[in-house]
Amino acid sequence: MLTTASMDTKAIAAIILDKAGRKKEAQEFVASLKEHLTKTAEQGMFFAFNENPYAWGGMKMQAHVDVMEALELIGGNNDTVEEMKLWLLKQKQTQQWNSPVATADAVYALLMKGVNLLDNQGDVRIVIADEVLETVSPSKTTVPGLGYIKRSFTQKNVVDARKIEVEKRNPGIAWGAVYAEYESPVSDVRQQGGELNVQKQLYVERMVNNAPQLQPVTEKTVLQVGDKIVSRLSIRVDRPMDFVQLKDQRGACFEPIGSVSGYNWSNGIGYYVDIKDASTNFFFDHLGKGVYVLEYGYRISRAGTYETGLATMQCAYAPEYASHSASMTIIIK
């Protein structure tokens, strides 16, 4: 009898039983493992729990690799193993494998059997306007042999293009990103996010029945010099990400209550906060899958009409994951 029902323990038990000749029991453990797998088109097959483990037995990478080995050993699970390889690669896209053990496990799982990923040259053809990029063309590849392309365009016909054609001409996976920079009045910017999402809401502190109460700030809210404002930043991440940075702009009428930068711990996450004249910056070494809420306060220092500013967030390890909030116009009397 197993002392724990963790996926890692079940996988090791299946491997030992199979090597001991107890095929039936090994297949029962594998069947149990497959019942807990989740599949998505983007991330392949994986276990949707243990997102923020506290013990080695709950570490996702170790458990994932052990399950892949068990499925491969028992046989008849080639498609499942290939889908689980996709999850490993997507993990590497947004976070580092921060130990030699995790790296060795991941490399072993990707290369042990099945489709040889090293044979895939990643033949991708990209067409935008009259520009053609090919990952297998050494003259057009930023890093020859790796299939990595990075190009910047300023030509009007490319900038004005509304369609990008991407053709994958051999099996396997590939991913990329398109970044567009443009100028726009801050009042016209709308909230945007996806896998990484940030929303900003301002609250004004009022005394109600001799007790402080936070009330949402809208364009119709009457604000005065001296009012205390609380900025609440709601962060949602649908997968673990490393090295995430968040910049919260402040309106010109706001002065932060705290002015000392340093490392903070709040609501289960640690981060470094850097307070600047016009913004407050947050730096996260790691964000696990989940929802996080940050709050900090400032005072209104002058009257007038102002924009509250944007909150922008981006994963420095995978810059294609980014988000920003909307701004709002407020009047101070």
Side-chain angles (χ1 to χ4, degrees):
M1 173 179 280
L2 297 180
T3 58
T4 176
S6 71
M7 301 301 104
D8 185 55
T9 304
K10 287 183 179 180
I12 294 175
I15 294 172
I16 294 174
L17 289 170
D18 184 81
K19 291 183 178 294
R22 300 171 63 175
K23 305 292 185 180
K24 184 175 182 299
E25 290 91 337
Q27 291 175 357
E28 290 175 352
F29 273 108
V30 167
S32 175
L33 290 169
K34 294 171 69 174
E35 289 176 351
H36 292 85
L37 284 170
T38 300
K39 180 179 179 180
T40 66
E42 182 194 4
Q43 299 191 60
M45 299 190 77
F46 59 99
F47 298 105
F49 43 84
N50 285 346
E51 294 294 347
N52 299 292
Y54 292 97
W56 177 255
M59 295 298 289
K60 293 191 301 177
M61 187 75 70
Q62 178 69 32
H64 194 86
V65 171
D66 287 341
V67 171
M68 289 179 67
E69 184 176 2
L71 293 176
E72 185 69 47
L73 181 64
I74 302 302
N77 302 290
N78 292 340
D79 291 341
T80 300
V81 172
E82 293 304 320
E83 290 286 346
M84 294 182 74
K85 286 183 180 180
L86 174 58
W87 181 87
L88 278 178
L89 292 172
K90 293 297 290 184
Q91 293 298 293
K92 182 57 177 171
Q93 182 185 13
T94 59
Q95 57 188 318
Q96 62 175 349
W97 292 332
N98 55 2
S99 76
V101 175
T103 302
D105 282 341
V107 172
Y108 168 71
L110 291 170
L111 301 179
M112 60 179 177
K113 284 186 180 179
V115 177
N116 187 352
L117 298 177
L118 297 180
D119 290 339
N120 181 5
Q121 296 300 311
D123 188 1
V124 178
R125 186 172 186 266
I126 305 168
V127 180
I128 175 171
D130 57 356
E131 296 286 339
V132 179
L133 304 177
E134 294 180 314
T135 58
V136 296
S137 175
S139 62
K140 298 182 179 181
T141 302
T142 305
V143 184
L146 296 182
Y148 174 71
I149 290 178
K150 181 180 180 180
R151 289 286 302 275
S152 299
F153 300 101
T154 57
Q155 305 95 301
K156 189 176 188 306
N157 66 318
V158 177
V159 173
D160 292 342
R162 292 294 179 264
K163 182 175 68 172
I164 300 176
E165 297 179 2
V166 180
E167 179 186 2
K168 184 76 165 62
R169 298 186 288 195
N170 64 349
I173 66 172
W175 58 69
V178 178
Y179 308 91
E181 294 184 359
Y182 59 94
E183 294 183 353
S184 173
V186 67
S187 57
D188 293 341
V189 177
R190 298 293 176 262
Q191 197 277 337
Q192 185 175 1
E195 295 83 0
L196 177 64
N197 191 76
V198 61
Q199 292 183 328
K200 176 179 179 178
Q201 176 65 56
L202 298 185
Y203 294 86
V204 58
E205 186 178 283
R206 304 291 195 198
M207 296 300 294
V208 178
N209 296 326
N210 296 322
Q213 184 180 93
L214 294 181
Q215 299 178 353
V217 174
T218 67
E219 294 183 354
K220 297 181 180 180
T221 302
V222 177
L223 299 173
Q224 297 179 337
V225 174
D227 283 346
K228 179 181 178 181
I229 301 295
V230 173
S231 177
R232 178 177 295 172
L233 304 172
S234 300
I235 304 166
R236 181 179 57 80
V237 189
D238 79 340
R239 68 197 68 189
M241 294 186 184
D242 286 346
F243 311 121
V244 180
Q245 50 199 26
L246 168 61
K247 180 179 181 179
D248 183 23
Q249 297 175 345
R250 288 192 304 274
C253 60
F254 296 139
E255 291 293 337
I257 293 176
S259 58
V260 179
S261 301
Y263 194 84
N264 287 356
W265 180 268
S266 175
N267 293 333
I269 54 171
Y271 54 89
Y272 186 88
V273 58
D274 180 27
I275 300 175
K276 299 292 188 180
D277 289 339
S279 65
T280 299
N281 302 315
F282 302 86
F283 300 94
F284 307 89
D285 288 335
H286 176 80
L287 281 179
K289 177 180 177 181
V291 177
Y292 306 90
V293 178
L294 300 178
E295 290 185 354
Y296 71 102
Y298 31 73
R299 294 280 183 182
I300 297 176
S301 61
R302 57 185 64 88
T305 301
Y306 303 92
E307 285 291 332
T308 59
L310 305 177
T312 58
M313 194 170 193
Q314 188 171 34
C315 176
Y317 199 84
E320 58 267 33
Y321 294 104
S323 174
H324 61 76
S325 71
S327 183
M328 180 175 60
T329 302
I330 58 174
I331 300 175
I332 314 298
K333 297 183 178 180

